[in-house]
Amino acid sequence: MSTTSSDPLAALGELPGVADAVDSVRKAVDRVYGHRVMRRRSNEVTAEAALRGARGSAALSGADWNLEEVRRRTDFSAESEARVIGAALRLTAEAGQLLSIWRQSPLRVLARLHLVAAGGAAHEDAVGRPRLAGEPVDEPLIDAPVPGADEVAGRLEGLSRLIIAGGSAPALVTASVVHGELLALRPFGTHNGLVARTAERIVLIGSGLDPKSICPAEVGHAEQGRAAYVAAFEGYLSGRPEGMAAWIAHCGRSVGLGVRESTAVCEALQRGAA
């Protein structure tokens, strides 16, 4: 991420097409929050959105399970795909507990997210901290060159300063940049995609755009497909204005699809079919 503005995130909000994406997301979120089911049963919608969001994030990390299998399963410690699903579920459950810490110390939250995702990982000395020089990265979906440990440390610190400073950027822009930057850096040895998508969720919740966490962007990222996700991310990675705008628009569509998913949940609850 590069820009000359004193408020780089706000500057990204001024790119062509971004304002339209922000406006579309805001209207979609407002509609689902206005659904009559949200008056009395919002906790059920939140729980279902968490489950579906975790399933979507895991799908992008190679564990594309049917929703009902995720709902039915109780043991996620066996095969590798099950462990990915388990990590996604744990991260989704953890996200809402970290909002106040995120505003003060984003790097602490990222370390905690990696610790939660890794669970009982074999290489415990590498869990919950950015990777050191020479340590490998296992992130099969993203095959772009991996930045060195020194660059990772510097860019993480810069991202942290931007988050702590706040600013006038729309929530969608900030969430997209956090997501994209973490994918670009892959700061941990494992689970970077899961952590990046959870950080996006935290920004959307903490910004007030989606305070009840009922608009799972992970659903939309998965629905658009892994190829579209990678192509949009390459736009972010390019650093060019049009590429950044395309990534933010992609994230906006993902939130919109998450809204559509939760709207369907609301309709099912209203019919008594949930």
Side-chain angles (χ1 to χ4, degrees), residues 202-213:
I202 289 172
V203 174
L204 294 173
I205 299 169
S207 67
L209 177 65
D210 182 21
K212 294 183 183 294
S213 191

Side-chain angles (χ1 to χ4, degrees), residues 11-185:
L12 292 175
E14 299 171 1
L15 293 174
V18 171
D20 289 341
V22 168
D23 185 57
S24 177
V25 164
R26 176 77 268 175
K27 289 177 179 176
V29 172
D30 286 347
R31 282 195 300 272
V32 71
Y33 269 84
H35 197 287
R36 62 187 301 177
V37 165
M38 289 296 296
R39 298 173 196 166
R40 295 184 178 181
R41 306 182 70 177
S42 63
N43 287 345
E44 294 172 70
V45 181
T46 295
E48 189 64 20
L51 182 71
R52 296 180 185 216
R55 193 218 71 83
S57 190
L60 289 171
S61 288
D64 192 0
W65 286 19
N66 180 277
L67 180 64
E68 293 311 312
E69 174 64 12
V70 177
R71 196 190 305 279
R72 180 193 65 81
R73 190 75 167 259
T74 57
D75 180 10
F76 296 98
S77 62
E79 68 272 26
S80 60
E81 287 193 6
R83 291 194 294 273
V84 172
I85 296 283
L89 289 167
R90 291 193 300 273
L91 285 170
T92 301
E94 189 78 7
Q97 311 301 315
L98 298 172
L99 296 176
S100 61
I101 303 173
W102 175 261
R103 299 183 187 102
Q104 300 170 11
S105 181
L107 300 186
R108 279 180 58 200
V109 169
L110 294 175
R112 173 62 185 171
L113 291 177
H114 187 246
L115 185 66
V116 168
H123 304 291
E124 293 187 4
D125 61 322
V127 171
R129 63 158 174 79
R131 54 188 167 81
L132 304 177
E135 290 183 337
V137 175
D138 178 15
E139 189 60 48
L141 182 60
I142 306 299
D143 61 5
V146 180
D150 288 344
E151 181 181 351
V152 167
R155 286 172 63 176
L156 280 177
E157 185 60 38
L159 182 64
S160 177
R161 286 196 298 268
L162 283 176
I163 293 165
I164 293 170
S168 59
L172 174 64
V173 172
T174 303
S176 302
V177 168
V178 167
H179 184 170
E181 191 70 354
L182 291 175
L183 277 186
L185 295 178

